[in-house]
Amino acid sequence: MVDRSDEALAALCEAEYPRLVGLLALQVGDRFVAEELAQETLLALCRHWPSVDSPRAWLNRVGLNRSNSWFRRRYAERRAYRRHGLSPEVIEGLEGVEHGDAALRSAVASLPPRQRMVIALRFYEQYSVAETAEAMGCAEGTVKAQTHHALASLRSRFDSSEEHQHA
Amino acid sequence: MRDLEERIAGTRPEAAEVTPFDAHELVRRGRRQRQVGMLGAAAGLIAVVAGVAVLAANLFAPEQQVDVAAEPPGSVSARWSTIDMPIAPGASPLVGETSDGDLVVLGSDDPQAAGAILDTDTGGWRTIPPMPGQSPNFEGGQFSWALFEHDRIAVIGAIDGQVAGAWYDLDSETWTPIPPTSEIDTWGEAVAFDGSILAVVQTGFRGPDQRTPVDPRVARFDLEANTWSVGATPPFETRFYPRVASRAGLVFVHGGSLPDPEAAPDSPDGPVGARSEDNFLYDTTADEWHAIDQAPLTGGEARSTVWLDDDHIAIVNYEQQDLIDPAESVSDNHAAAIYQLSSSTWTEVTPPAQIVPDARINYRGWGDSRTRQSILIATSATASREPSQQPPPTAIYSPHNKRWIPGPEVRLAATEAVRDTLVALSGLNFRTSDQLDAHLRTADGRWIPATNDGPDARSSASVITIDHNIYVIGGHISGDRATSGVAALELDR
């Protein structure tokens, strides 16, 4: 039974906020953007609170949707930059070089949408394959295949990065 | 380097690391916004009581219908835009969605490309190289099929009188030829593809005049083994022109005409005998045939068409439009029934008399591209088809909740489900519309238009929904002018 009081909702928001920021940072590659998206998502939760039965699952679905929308806006902005003569390389260069967790978030965020979602749900949220498939609305085989492709892509990226640093 | 999986789990920030926010203020803002929304809903209820024809709010509600709502219904809007393509896709191209959410278009007038793939995140295109060898006349060839499953495209048809083709793997970006087969005697009536096996089903006759009987048979091509084999024997007699539909490895065979052994050899209609109403389903993956009960159809002398989705079969009986006297009162010229595979039950579709009271109805089926759900559209057949006249009344039926809802007042051509929002499209015929048009069904049952005018109307276009976008691809914007771009409708909520 979910406690519907304002106090319980505020406590839930405070408890879920860091976790949600981490999840969304893996999607968008930027902690500060993730914080904004997480707060938007928590506000949406407050708006729909009387009808939400599984708050964490709801937050994950809505938050991931919002991160996808953010990506679409971002690419629209990039297309606008390109129309004004700013090259993609310059745009990438503006985002700087990242290390550690920031580099990992950035690498995950650069994966195709379903791959970054499966990585976040499987290894950040620790969902099982079946739970991930249910959350994503796809077959378990798809989750396994996407996980395989995503990990291979990430390993390849980090391996080549380490080789580059050692060279 | 730590294992990646552990590193990903370890990116979770501590509470002290994230920018603090006031949770109590957030709760207050959420409550205020909720109260404003309830006022709006109350106004809508008053409108219903005042006589505005809005059906029950739970009809097509997200938990019952087109998709699981990731976010509860709120304000929704949509905007049209156009996307340039590197190829001219022509009429009715094959379209599909990759496992990464990209858009695949197969079918091109350009000899240097068989199709193209749109990266829906970046907006960039990459082309699909031409098929190796001779193409089985994919564009418009009546014995050619193109199917898309699990990031593979299979194209098969008649080459030099034999069934052959090629398949394309999106991961490796390579075509592999499908060698000719001698396992079947005809070009087949239906083809199914489950991503690994391509099945060609022949049901009855061969030869230029389709008069020579052959045994029903299935030929199966295994992509990994690169070999053809004969599949399970169909459990039915040789027959003329059954209605067939295929989707995701399933083939549905309905009816057809049995051969008449007493027919004269030179009979102009061929040796066509009694009509059959039996039904069969072939599962490509399991290589199994299943008999299905006859449909509860009361359509009289009619032709049939069938559709198949992941959980439903729809059969619609209809009379050819030019055979119906417009002055004649015909109540049973159209009939529809839907079979649910998961429950093995038929449901006869009752006409939406409250919406089309003259009972002369044209049924059309539209398998929603994202949810793969057969949605029926009913249109009054007695209303004018002239663009300048009032559009005919329409209704939309979903097999999921077995009820009709009134469509928008447009020349409805198709419906698509974008997450929890039902979208009605018009303008998929340049002869009856000037431009593409979209109406969105709101949570309170109203239809609202897109926020801007759509591009030119187009005929023989293909439609697909990916994420929040509906793409209308290919087709012609006049009798002889093909489109060179994609019309995209982006939903925002």
Side-chain angles (χ1 to χ4, degrees), chain A residues 6 14 17-19 31 35 42-43 46-47 50 62 65-66 72 75 113-114 123-124 146 155 162, chain B residues 1 4 9 12-13 17-19 21 26 29 31 33-34 70-71 97 99 121 419 467-468 490:
Chain A
D6 284 0
E14 283 177 346
Y17 179 53
R19 182 195 65 78
R31 259 276 288 285
E35 288 180 357
L42 289 169
L43 176 61
C46 296
R47 205 161 53 236
V62 174
N65 279 347
R66 283 173 187 264
R72 280 194 298 277
Y75 283 114
R114 292 192 190 191
F123 304 123
Y124 182 84
Q146 295 287 346
R155 289 202 170 96
E162 288 182 353
Chain B
M1 177 172 138
L4 265 176
R12 182 184 194 127
E17 294 178 290
V18 293
T19 307
F21 74 106
L26 207 66
R29 282 176 55 196
R31 190 184 329 108
Q33 292 178 6
R34 190 162 66 235
E71 194 168 359
E97 178 186 3
S99 57
D121 287 327
R419 302 210 178 234
D467 198 15
H468 285 76
E490 182 175 9

Side-chain angles (χ1 to χ4, degrees), chain B residues 289-312:
Chain B
W289 283 95
H290 304 274
I292 290 177
D293 293 342
Q294 285 194 8
L297 284 166
T298 52
E301 291 295 321
R303 292 161 185 259
S304 299
T305 189
V306 297
W307 298 285
L308 175 66
D309 70 22
D310 286 352
D311 195 32
H312 302 93

Side-chain angles (χ1 to χ4, degrees), chain B residues 132-178:
Chain B
Q134 188 180 351
S135 162
N137 189 24
F138 162 59
E139 290 175 19
Q142 63 174 323
F143 297 114
S144 299
W145 288 270
L147 305 100
F148 181 83
E149 288 292 334
H150 296 89
D151 290 349
R152 288 171 168 179
I153 300 168
V155 181
I156 190 155
I159 299 177
D160 295 334
Q162 289 184 292
V163 171
W167 62 278
Y168 184 74
D169 184 274
L170 266 63
D171 283 338
S172 61
E173 300 186 347
T174 53
W175 283 103
T176 304
I178 297 174

Side-chain angles (χ1 to χ4, degrees), chain A residues 75-95:
Chain A
Y75 283 114
E77 287 167 6
R78 288 183 171 212
R79 283 197 290 274
Y81 279 131
R82 288 192 183 96
R83 278 199 298 274
H84 288 87
L86 203 53
S87 72
E89 292 74 20
V90 172
I91 299 167
E92 295 296 339
L94 291 175
E95 291 171 357

Side-chain angles (χ1 to χ4, degrees), chain B residues 343-366:
Chain B
S343 64
S344 304
T345 54
W346 281 104
T347 302
E348 185 168 12
V349 178
T350 307
Q354 72 278 28
I355 298 161
V356 190
D358 62 9
R360 177 75 65 77
I361 299 166
N362 281 340
Y363 284 125
R364 284 175 295 131
W366 189 270

Side-chain angles (χ1 to χ4, degrees), chain B residues 142-143 161 184-189 202 204-214 240-241 271:
Chain B
Q142 63 174 323
F143 297 114
I184 53 174
D185 306 303
T186 71
W187 292 325
E189 277 76 45
Q202 76 174 21
F205 291 80
R206 68 177 169 85
D209 55 0
Q210 293 282 298
R211 283 168 179 264
T212 309
V214 293
F240 269 115
Y241 306 125

Side-chain angles (χ1 to χ4, degrees), chain B residues 267-329:
Chain B
S267 165
D269 297 329
V272 177
R275 176 174 159 165
S276 165
E277 297 292 342
D278 49 16
N279 304 304
F280 303 93
L281 189 72
Y282 178 68
D283 181 337
T284 301
T285 305
D287 189 22
E288 290 175 350
W289 283 95
H290 304 274
I292 290 177
D293 293 342
Q294 285 194 8
L297 284 166
T298 52
E301 291 295 321
R303 292 161 185 259
S304 299
T305 189
V306 297
W307 298 285
L308 175 66
D309 70 22
D310 286 352
D311 195 32
H312 302 93
I313 296 163
I315 301 180
V316 169
N317 282 355
Y318 65 98
E319 206 73 70
Q320 266 189 312
Q321 194 74 31
D322 55 4
L323 299 180
I324 301 173
D325 178 352
E328 186 185 355
S329 175

